[in-house]
Amino acid sequence: MNASENGSTCVPEAAAGEPLDLTPLDHILEEFKGRRGAVIPILQRAQDAYGYLPREVLRAISQKTLIPLNQLYGVATFYAQFHLQRRGRHLVRICDGTACHVRGSGKNVEAVERSLGVGPGQTSEDYKYTLEIVYCLGSCGLAPIAVVDDKVYARLAPEALVQRLESLE
Ligand code: FES
């Protein structure tokens, strides 16, 4: 699945050593030109475009809007919705709330760690997966639960979960 198929509009990651294409950011900043108090929407749009908030992007936002860089970092680190590190193409969230935990979510976490080489809060080296542990998604009756991108997987055994993940592009 490519970026447009999974609904993402991310700018392709620059090859190592190549400068990031800041054209999409220029368009975003043009849209918000002269609008005060637009820090959060600008960061949201920039993250939508790049998948995360690379340092070059934050620096460019600061230069072009005259918002101090430390203020941008302050906002980006305060809100959990913002990410300063590149993330995987697939976000894997495994619930380890009480109901999921007693029904074996720990085994799902271990299986994903072992098979895909990505630990909680980490992104795999090939940037295919980012694994997050969450605590109760409000569907305890379906425990244990994993949400991969926007798809919910209920009551999956560890092997089945790993298989589904491995089958993703
Ligand atoms: S504990 Fe996992 S959905 Fe509630």
Side-chain angles (χ1 to χ4, degrees), residues 30-48:
E30 192 56 42
E31 242 180 83
F32 286 93
K33 203 170 181 180
R35 278 171 57 179
R36 292 179 151 264
V39 176
I40 290 177
I42 289 172
L43 293 179
Q44 286 170 328
R45 292 285 306 281
Q47 182 165 278
D48 286 347

PDB file of all heavy atoms in Angstrom, residues 30-48:
ATOM      1  N   GLU A  30       1.708  29.766   3.763  1.00  0.00           N
ATOM      2  CA  GLU A  30       1.025  30.777   2.958  1.00  0.00           C
ATOM      3  C   GLU A  30      -0.446  30.878   3.396  1.00  0.00           C
ATOM      4  O   GLU A  30      -1.003  31.956   3.525  1.00  0.00           O
ATOM      5  CB  GLU A  30       1.144  30.376   1.474  1.00  0.00           C
ATOM      6  CG  GLU A  30       0.747  31.436   0.482  1.00  0.00           C
ATOM      7  CD  GLU A  30       1.517  32.748   0.656  1.00  0.00           C
ATOM      8  OE1 GLU A  30       2.736  32.697   0.892  1.00  0.00           O
ATOM      9  OE2 GLU A  30       0.862  33.808   0.558  1.00  0.00           O
ATOM     10  N   GLU A  31      -1.034  29.692   3.624  1.00  0.00           N
ATOM     11  CA  GLU A  31      -2.441  29.636   4.044  1.00  0.00           C
ATOM     12  C   GLU A  31      -2.673  30.340   5.385  1.00  0.00           C
ATOM     13  O   GLU A  31      -3.730  30.919   5.619  1.00  0.00           O
ATOM     14  CB  GLU A  31      -2.809  28.163   4.259  1.00  0.00           C
ATOM     15  CG  GLU A  31      -3.891  27.646   3.381  1.00  0.00           C
ATOM     16  CD  GLU A  31      -4.128  26.189   3.727  1.00  0.00           C
ATOM     17  OE1 GLU A  31      -4.854  25.935   4.682  1.00  0.00           O
ATOM     18  OE2 GLU A  31      -3.549  25.317   3.023  1.00  0.00           O
ATOM     19  N   PHE A  32      -1.689  30.235   6.257  1.00  0.00           N
ATOM     20  CA  PHE A  32      -1.862  30.792   7.609  1.00  0.00           C
ATOM     21  C   PHE A  32      -1.214  32.164   7.756  1.00  0.00           C
ATOM     22  O   PHE A  32      -1.165  32.692   8.862  1.00  0.00           O
ATOM     23  CB  PHE A  32      -1.266  29.831   8.654  1.00  0.00           C
ATOM     24  CG  PHE A  32      -2.115  28.605   8.877  1.00  0.00           C
ATOM     25  CD1 PHE A  32      -1.875  27.441   8.157  1.00  0.00           C
ATOM     26  CD2 PHE A  32      -3.178  28.621   9.776  1.00  0.00           C
ATOM     27  CE1 PHE A  32      -2.661  26.312   8.338  1.00  0.00           C
ATOM     28  CE2 PHE A  32      -3.966  27.497   9.966  1.00  0.00           C
ATOM     29  CZ  PHE A  32      -3.704  26.340   9.247  1.00  0.00           C
ATOM     30  N   LYS A  33      -0.744  32.717   6.647  1.00  0.00           N
ATOM     31  CA  LYS A  33      -0.039  33.990   6.692  1.00  0.00           C
ATOM     32  C   LYS A  33      -0.884  35.065   7.391  1.00  0.00           C
ATOM     33  O   LYS A  33      -2.051  35.259   7.073  1.00  0.00           O
ATOM     34  CB  LYS A  33       0.269  34.442   5.259  1.00  0.00           C
ATOM     35  CG  LYS A  33       1.418  35.395   5.179  1.00  0.00           C
ATOM     36  CD  LYS A  33       1.798  35.581   3.732  1.00  0.00           C
ATOM     37  CE  LYS A  33       2.976  36.518   3.638  1.00  0.00           C
ATOM     38  NZ  LYS A  33       3.397  36.738   2.286  1.00  0.00           N
ATOM     39  N   GLY A  34      -0.278  35.744   8.354  1.00  0.00           N
ATOM     40  CA  GLY A  34      -0.958  36.839   9.032  1.00  0.00           C
ATOM     41  C   GLY A  34      -1.964  36.409  10.081  1.00  0.00           C
ATOM     42  O   GLY A  34      -2.593  37.238  10.722  1.00  0.00           O
ATOM     43  N   ARG A  35      -2.154  35.099  10.238  1.00  0.00           N
ATOM     44  CA  ARG A  35      -3.130  34.645  11.249  1.00  0.00           C
ATOM     45  C   ARG A  35      -2.427  34.424  12.578  1.00  0.00           C
ATOM     46  O   ARG A  35      -1.477  33.646  12.660  1.00  0.00           O
ATOM     47  CB  ARG A  35      -3.811  33.359  10.781  1.00  0.00           C
ATOM     48  CG  ARG A  35      -4.936  33.687   9.818  1.00  0.00           C
ATOM     49  CD  ARG A  35      -5.509  32.484   9.168  1.00  0.00           C
ATOM     50  NE  ARG A  35      -6.013  31.480  10.109  1.00  0.00           N
ATOM     51  CZ  ARG A  35      -6.572  30.344   9.722  1.00  0.00           C
ATOM     52  NH1 ARG A  35      -6.696  30.086   8.441  1.00  0.00           N
ATOM     53  NH2 ARG A  35      -7.005  29.485  10.600  1.00  0.00           N
ATOM     54  N   ARG A  36      -2.897  35.104  13.588  1.00  0.00           N
ATOM     55  CA  ARG A  36      -2.284  34.973  14.908  1.00  0.00           C
ATOM     56  C   ARG A  36      -2.829  33.726  15.610  1.00  0.00           C
ATOM     57  O   ARG A  36      -3.939  33.299  15.326  1.00  0.00           O
ATOM     58  CB  ARG A  36      -2.603  36.205  15.761  1.00  0.00           C
ATOM     59  CG  ARG A  36      -1.940  37.455  15.251  1.00  0.00           C
ATOM     60  CD  ARG A  36      -2.316  38.650  16.123  1.00  0.00           C
ATOM     61  NE  ARG A  36      -1.225  39.623  16.090  1.00  0.00           N
ATOM     62  CZ  ARG A  36      -0.268  39.693  17.004  1.00  0.00           C
ATOM     63  NH1 ARG A  36      -0.262  38.887  18.023  1.00  0.00           N
ATOM     64  NH2 ARG A  36       0.704  40.592  16.892  1.00  0.00           N
ATOM     65  N   GLY A  37      -2.042  33.204  16.501  1.00  0.00           N
ATOM     66  CA  GLY A  37      -2.508  32.070  17.313  1.00  0.00           C
ATOM     67  C   GLY A  37      -2.711  30.794  16.523  1.00  0.00           C
ATOM     68  O   GLY A  37      -3.525  29.956  16.904  1.00  0.00           O
ATOM     69  N   ALA A  38      -1.985  30.679  15.403  1.00  0.00           N
ATOM     70  CA  ALA A  38      -2.199  29.501  14.557  1.00  0.00           C
ATOM     71  C   ALA A  38      -1.105  28.443  14.750  1.00  0.00           C
ATOM     72  O   ALA A  38      -0.940  27.563  13.908  1.00  0.00           O
ATOM     73  CB  ALA A  38      -2.275  29.922  13.089  1.00  0.00           C
ATOM     74  N   VAL A  39      -0.406  28.496  15.875  1.00  0.00           N
ATOM     75  CA  VAL A  39       0.724  27.567  16.061  1.00  0.00           C
ATOM     76  C   VAL A  39       0.267  26.113  15.946  1.00  0.00           C
ATOM     77  O   VAL A  39       0.855  25.323  15.196  1.00  0.00           O
ATOM     78  CB  VAL A  39       1.397  27.779  17.446  1.00  0.00           C
ATOM     79  CG1 VAL A  39       2.493  26.756  17.665  1.00  0.00           C
ATOM     80  CG2 VAL A  39       1.968  29.182  17.533  1.00  0.00           C
ATOM     81  N   ILE A  40      -0.791  25.764  16.685  1.00  0.00           N
ATOM     82  CA  ILE A  40      -1.210  24.361  16.689  1.00  0.00           C
ATOM     83  C   ILE A  40      -1.693  23.913  15.304  1.00  0.00           C
ATOM     84  O   ILE A  40      -1.227  22.879  14.802  1.00  0.00           O
ATOM     85  CB  ILE A  40      -2.249  24.087  17.802  1.00  0.00           C
ATOM     86  CG1 ILE A  40      -1.519  24.192  19.156  1.00  0.00           C
ATOM     87  CG2 ILE A  40      -2.907  22.722  17.646  1.00  0.00           C
ATOM     88  CD1 ILE A  40      -2.397  24.032  20.363  1.00  0.00           C
ATOM     89  N   PRO A  41      -2.583  24.674  14.643  1.00  0.00           N
ATOM     90  CA  PRO A  41      -2.972  24.218  13.293  1.00  0.00           C
ATOM     91  C   PRO A  41      -1.798  24.128  12.318  1.00  0.00           C
ATOM     92  O   PRO A  41      -1.753  23.225  11.482  1.00  0.00           O
ATOM     93  CB  PRO A  41      -3.985  25.261  12.822  1.00  0.00           C
ATOM     94  CG  PRO A  41      -4.302  26.119  13.974  1.00  0.00           C
ATOM     95  CD  PRO A  41      -3.394  25.789  15.122  1.00  0.00           C
ATOM     96  N   ILE A  42      -0.841  25.048  12.433  1.00  0.00           N
ATOM     97  CA  ILE A  42       0.328  24.962  11.530  1.00  0.00           C
ATOM     98  C   ILE A  42       1.097  23.672  11.807  1.00  0.00           C
ATOM     99  O   ILE A  42       1.461  22.935  10.882  1.00  0.00           O
ATOM    100  CB  ILE A  42       1.258  26.190  11.702  1.00  0.00           C
ATOM    101  CG1 ILE A  42       0.597  27.442  11.122  1.00  0.00           C
ATOM    102  CG2 ILE A  42       2.614  25.954  11.022  1.00  0.00           C
ATOM    103  CD1 ILE A  42       1.357  28.741  11.404  1.00  0.00           C
ATOM    104  N   LEU A  43       1.321  23.377  13.089  1.00  0.00           N
ATOM    105  CA  LEU A  43       2.060  22.151  13.420  1.00  0.00           C
ATOM    106  C   LEU A  43       1.274  20.909  12.991  1.00  0.00           C
ATOM    107  O   LEU A  43       1.861  19.935  12.498  1.00  0.00           O
ATOM    108  CB  LEU A  43       2.366  22.096  14.921  1.00  0.00           C
ATOM    109  CG  LEU A  43       3.345  23.151  15.451  1.00  0.00           C
ATOM    110  CD1 LEU A  43       3.539  22.991  16.954  1.00  0.00           C
ATOM    111  CD2 LEU A  43       4.689  23.081  14.741  1.00  0.00           C
ATOM    112  N   GLN A  44      -0.049  20.959  13.156  1.00  0.00           N
ATOM    113  CA  GLN A  44      -0.866  19.805  12.735  1.00  0.00           C
ATOM    114  C   GLN A  44      -0.749  19.578  11.246  1.00  0.00           C
ATOM    115  O   GLN A  44      -0.551  18.454  10.775  1.00  0.00           O
ATOM    116  CB  GLN A  44      -2.339  20.035  13.106  1.00  0.00           C
ATOM    117  CG  GLN A  44      -2.605  19.876  14.583  1.00  0.00           C
ATOM    118  CD  GLN A  44      -4.003  20.333  14.976  1.00  0.00           C
ATOM    119  OE1 GLN A  44      -4.555  21.269  14.373  1.00  0.00           O
ATOM    120  NE2 GLN A  44      -4.563  19.713  15.999  1.00  0.00           N
ATOM    121  N   ARG A  45      -0.860  20.667  10.493  1.00  0.00           N
ATOM    122  CA  ARG A  45      -0.788  20.530   9.027  1.00  0.00           C
ATOM    123  C   ARG A  45       0.600  20.073   8.594  1.00  0.00           C
ATOM    124  O   ARG A  45       0.756  19.279   7.671  1.00  0.00           O
ATOM    125  CB  ARG A  45      -1.148  21.860   8.372  1.00  0.00           C
ATOM    126  CG  ARG A  45      -2.616  22.247   8.563  1.00  0.00           C
ATOM    127  CD  ARG A  45      -3.543  21.437   7.680  1.00  0.00           C
ATOM    128  NE  ARG A  45      -3.140  21.533   6.292  1.00  0.00           N
ATOM    129  CZ  ARG A  45      -3.404  22.562   5.494  1.00  0.00           C
ATOM    130  NH1 ARG A  45      -4.130  23.557   5.953  1.00  0.00           N
ATOM    131  NH2 ARG A  45      -2.984  22.586   4.249  1.00  0.00           N
ATOM    132  N   ALA A  46       1.616  20.622   9.257  1.00  0.00           N
ATOM    133  CA  ALA A  46       2.984  20.222   8.897  1.00  0.00           C
ATOM    134  C   ALA A  46       3.189  18.740   9.206  1.00  0.00           C
ATOM    135  O   ALA A  46       3.783  18.000   8.413  1.00  0.00           O
ATOM    136  CB  ALA A  46       4.000  21.075   9.661  1.00  0.00           C
ATOM    137  N   GLN A  47       2.660  18.293  10.335  1.00  0.00           N
ATOM    138  CA  GLN A  47       2.814  16.874  10.674  1.00  0.00           C
ATOM    139  C   GLN A  47       2.034  15.988   9.702  1.00  0.00           C
ATOM    140  O   GLN A  47       2.497  14.913   9.332  1.00  0.00           O
ATOM    141  CB  GLN A  47       2.367  16.615  12.107  1.00  0.00           C
ATOM    142  CG  GLN A  47       2.561  15.160  12.508  1.00  0.00           C
ATOM    143  CD  GLN A  47       2.485  14.948  13.995  1.00  0.00           C
ATOM    144  OE1 GLN A  47       3.442  15.152  14.704  1.00  0.00           O
ATOM    145  NE2 GLN A  47       1.326  14.524  14.473  1.00  0.00           N
ATOM    146  N   ASP A  48       0.862  16.451   9.284  1.00  0.00           N
ATOM    147  CA  ASP A  48       0.111  15.688   8.277  1.00  0.00           C
ATOM    148  C   ASP A  48       0.934  15.548   7.000  1.00  0.00           C
ATOM    149  O   ASP A  48       0.925  14.515   6.342  1.00  0.00           O
ATOM    150  CB  ASP A  48      -1.211  16.386   7.922  1.00  0.00           C
ATOM    151  CG  ASP A  48      -2.243  16.239   9.026  1.00  0.00           C
ATOM    152  OD1 ASP A  48      -2.036  15.414   9.931  1.00  0.00           O
ATOM    153  OD2 ASP A  48      -3.242  16.978   8.986  1.00  0.00           O
TER     154      ASP A  48
END
